[in-house]
Amino acid sequence: MTLDTSTEVTSAPPSGSRGARARSREWAERISRAVPSIGLIVLLALLWAAAALFVPEFANGSNLVNILRQSADLVIAALGVMFVLLIGGIDLSIGSVFGFSSVVLATLVFGGTPVPLAILIVLAVAAVAGAVSGALTHFGRIPAFITTLGMYYILFAFAQMISNGLALKLPPGTMLQGLSRGTVFGIPNVVLVAAGTAVVAWMVLNRTPYGRDVVSVGLNRQASRLSGLPVSRVAVGVFMISAVLAAVSAILLTARVQSGEPALGGLTGTFEVITAAVVGGTSLFGGRGTVLGVVVGAIIIRTIGNCITLLDISSLLYQTVMGVLILIALIVEAVRLRQKGGVE
Amino acid sequence: MPSSEIETPAAIRRRGLSPRLANGLGIAGAAVLIYLLLAAVVPYFATPQNMTGLLANAAIAAIAALGLTLVILTGGIDLSVGGVMSLVGLATVANVGAGVPWWLAMIVGMLLGAVVGVANGLLVALLRVPSFVATFGTLGITAGAALFIADGRPTVLLPREMIAFGNGSVFFIPYLAILAVVVLAVLQFLQGSTRWGVNTRSTGDNRHVAALVGVPVKRTLVAAYATSGLLAGLAGAALTAQLSTAGPQQGEPYTLAAIAACVVGGVDLLGGKGSLWAACLGAVFLAALRNAMNLQGVQPFTQDLVTGLLIIVAVFVTVSGRGAVQTLLGRLRPAQEVRS
Amino acid sequence: MTGPTASAPSLEGTAAPASVLSAREVVKYAYDETGAPITGSDVRLLKGVSISVRPGEIHALIGENGAGKSTFIKVLGGAIPAEQGEVAVEQQPVVFGSSRRARELGISVIWQEFSLSPKLSVLENMFLGEEITKHGLLDRSEMRRRSTAALARLGVQIDLDRQIDSLSTSEQQIVEIAKALDRDARVLILDEPTASLTGVEADQLFAVVQELRRKKLGIVLVTHRLDEVFEHSQRITVMKDGATIGTFDTETMTRESLIQKMVGRELGSYFVRPNAVAGEAVLEVDGLSCGRAVVEASIVVRAGEIVALGGLVGAGRTELCRLVVGADRATAGTVRLRGRDISRWTLRRRLDAGIAFVPEDRKSQGVVLAMSVQRNLTTRSWRSLSRRGILLSPRREQELAESLISDLEIKVHTPLQAAATLSGGNQQRVAIGKWLVKPSSLYIFDEPTRGVDVGARRALYALIAGLVERGAGVLMVSSDLPEVLGMSDRVYIMREGRIAGEYAAAETDESELLRAMLPETHAEVAS
């Protein structure tokens, strides 16, 4: 054994000189991390600029507000699924959580339950559904796409059974109507709800121990467990967050159309939500995703939808465009990981 | 040559039926039992007319499930089956409308499906995208394209021969069932008698070992997804022939139906294990269940519920069966974290 | 090379008869996961290793843990390239690009991790990737004939249609050997073939190996079982510290002389002995068992002492540690921490109650590589850093991380850089650092200095010594005998899942410990 004291491979500045240089390194690190989100914002800006040039009626104040209003429900649901994606899972059940929550809410309100109580019940039921998916996935060791696909069909069936497959009109004049149509200082309520959700999601992810747990578990489940992090709580909890936020989103949609719709969402709905999260830079390999990115991703998706409507192209093209988007996002992600040697 | 038989006590205990045969006999036995049970309990179930309808329905799911089985054997999943079926249905109708002979239109439909399958395969094999994500993406594209092409409405324009092919039968055996059996036979031959089968199963069983000993893992993956797309295309065209229409969403339920058929047929979702004909039996079983529920007047929604639950239960049973083995192994070695 | 015992590699025996496989002065740098050499580090896995294998001999390759045997046979088998030196097959110098190329040249390695596909049949595995076809169809009868013939040459019969995972370990090994034989192997390298075999199974295996020897194959046997070496081998090559000590005729050696050749590694002066007196028992393990991995292990660790856990790789040391922290579940036995029975507690509860665990596999278990150094260091403190357990204070988190970084002298540009960008020694300090925020009563280190530069080692030793001086107990798994003797107060040696002996570090030496580690005879395991 050679005994010459070796030099460390990564040489570092002598410990005295921490200060200006270390700070600048820190900022460089922070900025390099923000690059994907900044890139997305630039992309959105370019999209809006292009749309303003080429799409008639696009650059019109009320249309822009409209885009934000339409983005609200997608932002909320996509933030939910981001938590599942962060731990390397997937939630295919979202689409039928929409229809199911909508039907349950309408039935309760129709039956005379006070709206706040009805909302609470809907959220609680969604949380239970999420917990079941999470528990089957984590403790049953069943792949997440199977449990949540199964849950998709189960909730879909429940929604059909409760509603007999028919839309249920809400009684007029409930506070749900105000929720959907009202504004505060000219800002639509739904936009405020979405913004509030985003702020809370950001706080949870970046400023709470639970958020740290989620990221750590997503990056390395084994090391997290051996460090004493509550892996089960994370693995089940993220599915509950996903289902509850999907339910919040469904409540907003129900308020907008003023009826309980069993067909709200569907697999297309699931698809849209996951696309928003992925376009927003959430890694499908786990561990990486930002609230800002997901918010921008959802707005991008809705902007494209808005343009398709304004250009009077068949709205049916929408889903294909989303499919292409998700694949592009995937390829970008895979290539980036490959460069880092991260996959496998 | 002196030959001393290796006979450890453990080896003696493990003798008897080969596991594959035992597994197959178990599934076949269960199928017969369930058939007898349904025949006894459900009126009109065992009538020839009913059987014919049931088999025709099962055949379409079985064709899709056969392709999917290959993908699952490699350790992946193909969620795009339903989207491909819808899209191919519409394409078939469009081709027939343009004067293409119906059988050629079906072949073109299969090729269209294969193209989607190859795309899936490339995403999975080269970019290493998790299969459920890649195929979920192509599901979105194909389902969306179907909606777009059809403009949201079903289209009807089929020659009489094609409708006859989709609904006719000889001796109560529907043509579609014969088609499914032919597909099964061809696939079973290719899987059983060429390198392809061994390559497929070893890729799903232990990809690392397969690559190490020189199995062309990437090519095998692409072939599996391509076959799944091809057969989803065939199933989509057959469905159109049966319904004599092409609706933009008529393929959608078949993603779940095909997965359910495989899972109920005992194909291991972790790859490496499963038989083609058991997946077909799974399709027949599910069709029988649905048929029996229909005859009993059970609502279609409840049927979805039953299918959803059945999948979870079936996977749970295969997984916890494996879980028991892992617990035993865990006594010997420290447990490894399983990342799903 | 400064060690007094590290003599120039001996090349005796190369003269006659001609060797079928030989290697001269092979040098191998440390390599990363992809097999690329890590330059710029002083770690050399092999520092000049030579061997010459004759046809018709069983050539034992022995040495302590970490002597470099596994790396060496990886080079011989073509799995990794060497940076310097020469490998020759029948006197012709060769460069193996891959294991496949090595196999084509007649060199087959039977690894401990078999390259068999578990859910496929024996027949399918025999020709996996190299199936025989006729007109594009599998020629089953030809493959069956050749498989049967290969197995018959070994003198065994195995049902070719059985699934691999239904075979016993020795049967799987025999399938691997038969596969090598079918491809006309001239040299067979066996990597600890009997490590997981029962006595009966090992006898079967050696019957096969002796049969091959009579057929003039060259056989390299890597093993820790000296009785096997003496019973079956003709010559022995001893490795130590990545170099060959020499090649000897088995007849001229005794068990004792062999052990003397294996030990005697240089005792560095860089160990840091803590200045502490052993106090009350922190950890009491009684009759802890888990299958065959750990069998009725009982140990005690006291406050203020370092207890080393020695043994061969696979002796059950890591498994015992995992049982103590609750990462795996024990089938029997009790664990007490400061007198409290914690046997039924979950992993998290045990860690919170004062056990710190720094696992062996740093990259996959010790740190989260893609996470920042700061978050890795504060992992155990997120809840205590937040107000009412809800909102974290980023400022306090950064302060905590920075104080740990300066205390542990972790070399970082910024606490926000990913742990993956640090060197091995610094990563290890991060893995340890997270346990230092709140003092634990017991620290378990599993191979704390593996893959760590010599210079960084001393700092780790000082760190461990510091913990003990503050009243903690330390349980340290180590395969490095000088480290065991230099750092610990007491040593437990594990052998085949059992505690084989307990020694005061001051009153023992390397050869005594090594004797305790090496298995005497094959374990007779019921079931």
Side-chain angles (χ1 to χ4, degrees):
Chain A
M1 184 149 304
T2 44
L3 274 180
D4 50 330
T5 45
S6 76
T7 48
E8 287 282 348
V9 180
T10 33
S11 62
S15 48
S17 82
R18 275 189 64 76
R21 216 172 131 196
R23 294 285 159 222
S24 68
R25 292 262 195 189
E26 211 164 279
W27 277 107
E29 191 73 31
R30 280 179 209 269
I31 289 167
S32 77
R33 265 183 225 187
V35 162
S37 301
I38 295 171
L40 275 168
I41 293 174
V42 171
L43 187 66
L44 179 63
L46 288 177
L47 187 64
W48 279 21
L53 283 177
F54 299 111
V55 182
E57 312 277 315
F58 181 86
N60 155 335
S62 72
N63 185 51
L64 293 183
V65 172
N66 212 15
I67 290 177
L68 291 183
R69 192 200 293 267
Q70 287 165 350
S71 303
D73 58 288
L74 188 58
V75 164
I76 295 169
L79 286 172
V81 83
M82 175 187 75
F83 279 87
V84 175
L85 297 179
L86 275 174
I87 69 157
I90 196 160
D91 188 353
L92 300 181
S93 70
I94 299 166
S96 65
V97 173
F98 286 158
F100 175 71
S101 305
S102 179
V103 165
V104 172
L105 179 71
T107 310
L108 286 172
V109 173
F110 198 75
T113 315
V115 170
L117 181 62
I119 288 178
L120 280 182
I121 292 174
V122 168
L123 297 183
V125 173
V128 170
V132 171
S133 298
L136 280 170
T137 306
H138 181 64
F139 296 109
R141 291 186 179 181
I142 301 176
F145 69 87
I146 287 284
T147 46
T148 56
L149 191 65
M151 183 57 72
Y152 174 89
Y153 281 95
I154 290 168
L155 291 181
F156 180 76
F158 277 143
Q160 300 286 333
M161 279 194 263
I162 295 170
S163 67
N164 266 320
L166 302 170
L168 182 62
K169 270 255 164 267
L170 283 177
T174 61
M175 68 177 273
L176 280 172
Q177 209 159 3
L179 175 71
S180 168
R181 308 222 174 121
T183 57
V184 178
F185 301 123
I187 307 170
N189 283 345
V190 287
V191 174
L192 289 176
V193 173
T197 310
V199 170
V200 172
W202 188 87
M203 293 297 274
V204 168
L205 197 58
N206 296 287
R207 288 283 183 273
T208 66
Y210 187 79
R212 299 279 154 106
D213 294 347
V214 171
V215 173
S216 181
V217 168
L219 290 170
N220 187 334
R221 193 169 286 215
Q222 182 144 287
S224 302
R225 174 170 180 255
L226 291 177
S227 298
L229 297 185
V231 174
S232 308
R233 216 186 288 165
V234 167
V236 177
V238 290
F239 284 94
M240 295 174 71
I241 294 176
S242 174
V244 167
L245 288 187
V248 171
S249 175
I251 291 167
L252 293 185
L253 286 168
T254 308
R256 181 155 88 203
V257 297
Q258 283 297 302
S259 76
E261 299 278 349
L264 201 63
L267 269 181
T268 322
T270 300
F271 194 71
E272 198 174 41
V273 172
I274 292 176
T275 308
V278 171
V279 168
T282 310
S283 168
L284 284 160
F285 301 93
R288 281 193 306 119
T290 63
V291 170
L292 181 62
V294 170
V295 170
V296 177
I299 297 176
I300 288 177
I301 299 271
R302 283 294 195 246
T303 302
I304 293 172
N306 183 270
C307 292
I308 286 176
T309 313
L310 288 180
L311 287 174
D312 212 17
I313 306 173
S314 165
S315 63
L316 301 164
L317 187 64
Y318 183 53
Q319 203 181 347
T320 315
V321 173
M322 281 194 305
V324 173
L325 275 181
I326 208 173
L327 285 184
I328 292 174
L330 269 179
I331 291 168
V332 169
E333 169 77 9
V335 168
R336 194 166 50 173
L337 272 181
R338 182 79 74 83
Q339 277 166 352
K340 283 190 181 174
V343 206
E344 221 151 10
Chain B
M1 189 69 56
S3 82
S4 67
E5 174 125 18
I6 294 216
E7 283 292 47
T8 59
I12 294 170
R13 245 183 289 124
R14 285 194 214 93
R15 272 182 147 194
L17 281 176
S18 91
R20 205 174 293 169
L21 187 61
N23 199 15
L25 284 179
I27 293 170
V32 171
L33 266 182
I34 290 165
Y35 175 80
L36 291 176
L37 189 74
L38 289 175
V41 174
V42 182
Y44 307 111
F45 180 78
T47 60
Q49 289 82 2
N50 190 49
M51 281 294 116
T52 305
L54 187 162
L55 282 181
N57 286 334
I60 293 170
I63 292 171
L66 281 169
L68 181 62
T69 301
L70 294 195
V71 171
I72 298 182
L73 281 176
T74 65
I77 190 83
D78 186 355
L79 299 178
S80 70
V81 169
V84 170
M85 284 179 66
S86 303
L87 185 61
V88 167
L90 288 160
T92 309
V93 170
N95 280 332
V96 168
V100 177
W102 68 273
W103 52 270
L104 188 59
M106 285 186 79
I107 292 172
V108 171
M110 288 169 74
L111 294 179
L112 178 62
V115 169
V116 177
V118 168
N120 284 333
L122 292 176
L123 282 169
V124 171
L126 297 185
L127 291 181
R128 296 183 197 150
V129 174
S131 59
F132 66 86
V133 179
T135 57
F136 191 59
T138 46
L139 169 66
I141 293 180
T142 49
L147 276 170
F148 182 56
I149 292 170
D151 207 13
R153 290 183 303 272
T155 49
V156 194
L157 184 72
L158 284 182
R160 215 177 302 131
E161 299 94 325
M162 190 169 177
I163 296 172
F165 176 71
N167 293 281
S169 58
V170 275
F171 301 118
F172 296 111
I173 298 172
Y175 295 127
L176 291 183
I178 297 172
L179 179 67
V181 170
V182 169
V183 172
L184 171 63
V186 170
L187 217 51
Q188 183 73 53
F189 171 74
L190 290 176
Q191 284 279 302
S193 302
T194 69
R195 287 180 162 196
W196 191 26
V198 189
N199 289 349
T200 304
R201 281 181 290 122
S202 64
T203 297
D205 185 15
N206 188 330
R207 194 169 163 174
H208 180 68
V209 164
L212 202 70
V213 301
V215 171
V217 169
K218 288 179 179 163
R219 221 190 309 151
T220 306
L221 284 172
V222 175
Y225 286 90
T227 311
S228 180
L230 185 88
L231 292 181
L234 179 60
L239 180 65
T240 302
Q242 187 185 40
L243 300 177
S244 64
T245 67
Q249 287 176 311
Q250 72 185 19
E252 198 180 286
Y254 282 88
T255 297
L256 185 73
I259 295 176
C262 293
V263 168
V264 170
V267 182
D268 189 336
L269 274 176
L270 289 192
K273 245 187 127 173
S275 84
L276 291 162
W277 62 272
C280 281
L281 268 185
V284 175
F285 168 72
L286 288 167
L289 202 64
R290 231 162 226 277
N291 178 276
M293 285 194 285
N294 271 333
L295 289 174
Q296 293 293 76
V298 178
Q299 279 188 320
F301 325 133
T302 318
Q303 299 182 11
D304 278 333
L305 184 70
V306 170
T307 317
L309 284 175
L310 203 64
I311 288 191
I312 294 185
V313 169
V315 175
F316 195 70
V317 168
T318 32
V319 170
S320 57
R322 191 171 51 229
V325 175
Q326 270 169 352
T327 318
L328 278 176
L329 288 175
R331 304 252 158 94
L332 306 175
R333 268 177 242 141
Q336 295 284 311
E337 281 275 298
V338 180
R339 262 200 77 176
S340 53
Chain C
M1 198 81 64
T2 54
T5 51
S7 57
S10 147
L11 286 176
E12 57 195 282
T14 39
S19 71
V20 59
L21 170 70
S22 65
R24 276 175 47 114
E25 295 287 338
V26 171
V27 173
K28 177 77 205 152
Y29 296 171
Y31 51 94
D32 60 21
E33 294 82 356
T34 60
I38 300 171
T39 51
S41 156
D42 71 329
V43 182
R44 292 275 182 286
L45 296 176
L46 301 178
K47 305 168 187 167
V49 185
S50 305
I51 197 171
S52 140
V53 184
R54 297 171 189 157
E57 78 165 344
I58 297 179
H59 194 126
L61 181 64
I62 64 170
E64 277 186 84
N65 283 341
K69 305 178 301 271
S70 307
T71 311
F72 185 46
I73 60 172
K74 276 185 192 161
V75 171
L76 290 180
I80 54 172
E83 271 74 51
Q84 292 167 35
E86 182 188 283
V87 178
V89 176
E90 303 198 327
Q91 282 90 42
Q92 298 298 312
V94 289
V95 178
F96 303 137
S98 64
S99 316
R100 191 159 192 167
R101 181 80 190 114
R103 275 205 308 277
E104 282 164 12
L105 289 167
I107 314 298
S108 277
V109 185
I110 312 297
W111 305 104
Q112 270 184 295
E113 291 285 321
F114 300 141
S115 39
L116 296 173
S117 197
K119 289 180 198 161
L120 268 54
S121 72
V122 173
L123 184 64
E124 286 165 338
N125 267 288
M126 282 289 295
F127 292 93
L128 188 58
E130 301 166 75
E131 288 86 359
I132 304 168
T133 54
K134 209 156 78 182
H135 315 303
L137 301 183
L138 293 179
D139 190 348
R140 281 236 170 66
S141 53
E142 175 64 9
M143 289 194 279
R144 209 168 266 279
R145 193 189 61 71
R146 272 175 58 177
S147 302
T148 314
L151 287 167
R153 277 177 73 192
L154 297 172
V156 293
Q157 280 179 353
I158 293 176
D159 181 353
L160 295 176
D161 294 318
R162 274 176 56 191
Q163 201 170 305
I164 287 295
D165 59 10
S166 78
L167 300 180
S168 68
T169 314
S170 65
E171 288 170 319
Q172 293 185 22
Q173 225 154 21
I174 286 168
V175 171
E176 287 258 36
I177 295 173
K179 191 173 165 179
L181 211 56
D182 180 76
R183 311 300 134 78
D184 296 322
R186 283 175 290 181
V187 176
L188 204 59
I189 302 173
L190 301 164
D191 182 16
E192 294 198 48
T194 55
S196 50
L197 299 188
T198 62
V200 181
E201 288 176 327
D203 290 344
Q204 287 166 350
L205 181 73
F206 275 108
V208 165
V209 172
Q210 289 289 1
E211 182 69 29
L212 294 176
R213 185 177 80 79
R214 280 190 287 277
K215 295 198 163 84
K216 295 293 173 207
L217 265 75
I219 289 152
V220 178
L221 173 68
V222 179
T223 185
H224 283 295
R225 295 176 192 273
L226 296 188
D227 56 329
E228 283 172 10
V229 171
F230 285 106
E231 193 177 336
H232 298 292
S233 78
Q234 282 73 52
R235 291 195 304 159
I236 307 168
T237 292
V238 180
M239 283 182 71
K240 184 166 73 180
D241 281 347
T244 18
I245 296 305
T247 298
F248 312 95
D249 287 333
T250 307
E251 290 166 0
T252 66
M253 300 300 287
T254 64
R255 208 180 159 81
E256 238 357 83
S257 60
L258 210 51
I259 287 176
Q260 288 310 322
K261 302 263 184 224
M262 289 162 72
V263 299
R265 294 180 53 189
E266 197 175 329
L267 240 166
S269 57
Y270 51 94
F271 298 110
V272 183
R273 298 296 299 228
N275 187 12
V277 185
E280 296 205 335
V282 178
L283 174 74
E284 295 156 276
V285 172
D286 190 24
L288 205 58
S289 300
C290 182
R292 277 167 65 176
V294 176
V295 185
E296 290 170 13
S298 302
I299 60 170
V300 176
V301 178
R302 299 190 183 84
E305 83 173 339
I306 298 178
V307 174
L309 199 53
L312 300 173
V313 171
R317 298 168 302 165
T318 297
E319 289 81 353
L320 177 57
C321 293
R322 286 178 62 94
L323 293 177
V324 170
V325 295
D328 297 318
R329 209 166 294 163
T331 46
T334 56
V335 180
R336 287 172 181 280
L337 183 71
R338 291 199 176 282
R340 278 158 89 194
D341 188 348
I342 59 168
S343 314
R344 308 221 147 270
W345 291 15
T346 61
L347 168 74
R348 289 189 66 210
R349 202 170 162 205
R350 294 187 202 200
L351 298 177
D352 290 344
I355 300 183
F357 179 45
V358 180
E360 173 184 12
D361 188 346
R362 188 168 53 231
K363 287 179 192 297
S364 74
Q365 301 182 350
V367 293
V368 179
L369 286 176
M371 204 159 70
S372 68
V373 171
Q374 172 166 322
R375 285 203 183 182
N376 268 296
L377 282 169
T378 56
T379 297
R380 296 276 311 150
S381 321
W382 290 334
R383 279 172 180 76
S384 58
L385 281 171
S386 36
R387 265 161 267 149
R388 286 187 230 102
I390 300 172
L391 281 192
L392 265 163
S393 156
R395 191 180 46 81
R396 285 172 62 197
E397 185 187 22
Q398 184 162 5
E399 282 167 10
L400 174 63
E402 280 177 352
S403 79
L404 284 167
I405 286 169
S406 72
D407 285 356
L408 295 170
E409 294 171 4
I410 301 170
K411 288 167 188 161
V412 293
H413 300 306
T414 150
L416 297 183
Q417 80 190 75
T421 59
L422 299 185
S423 68
N426 279 312
Q427 277 178 7
Q428 188 69 313
R429 276 180 254 186
V430 172
I432 297 173
K434 68 180 157 206
W435 299 101
L436 302 181
V437 182
K438 193 178 140 227
S440 296
S441 17
L442 174 70
Y443 287 82
I444 300 178
F445 295 101
D446 194 351
E447 302 279 9
T449 58
R450 168 163 299 174
V452 172
D453 275 340
V454 176
R457 280 191 180 198
R458 193 185 154 83
L460 285 176
Y461 294 138
L463 188 63
I464 294 170
L467 294 172
V468 175
E469 282 166 1
R470 269 172 269 150
V474 167
L475 179 64
M476 179 177 80
V477 173
S478 175
S479 293
D480 193 38
L481 284 178
E483 179 176 289
V484 164
L485 291 170
M487 284 300 293
S488 71
D489 300 296
R490 281 186 301 125
V491 187
Y492 289 103
I493 295 295
M494 283 191 83
R495 187 175 66 212
E496 293 172 339
R498 296 171 188 274
I499 300 289
E502 181 188 346
Y503 306 86
E507 293 159 17
T508 186
D509 57 19
E510 281 190 53
S511 39
E512 185 179 25
L513 294 181
L514 186 59
R515 254 195 306 276
M517 281 155 63
L518 297 172
E520 295 283 331
T521 53
H522 293 297
E524 295 302 332
V525 185
S527 85

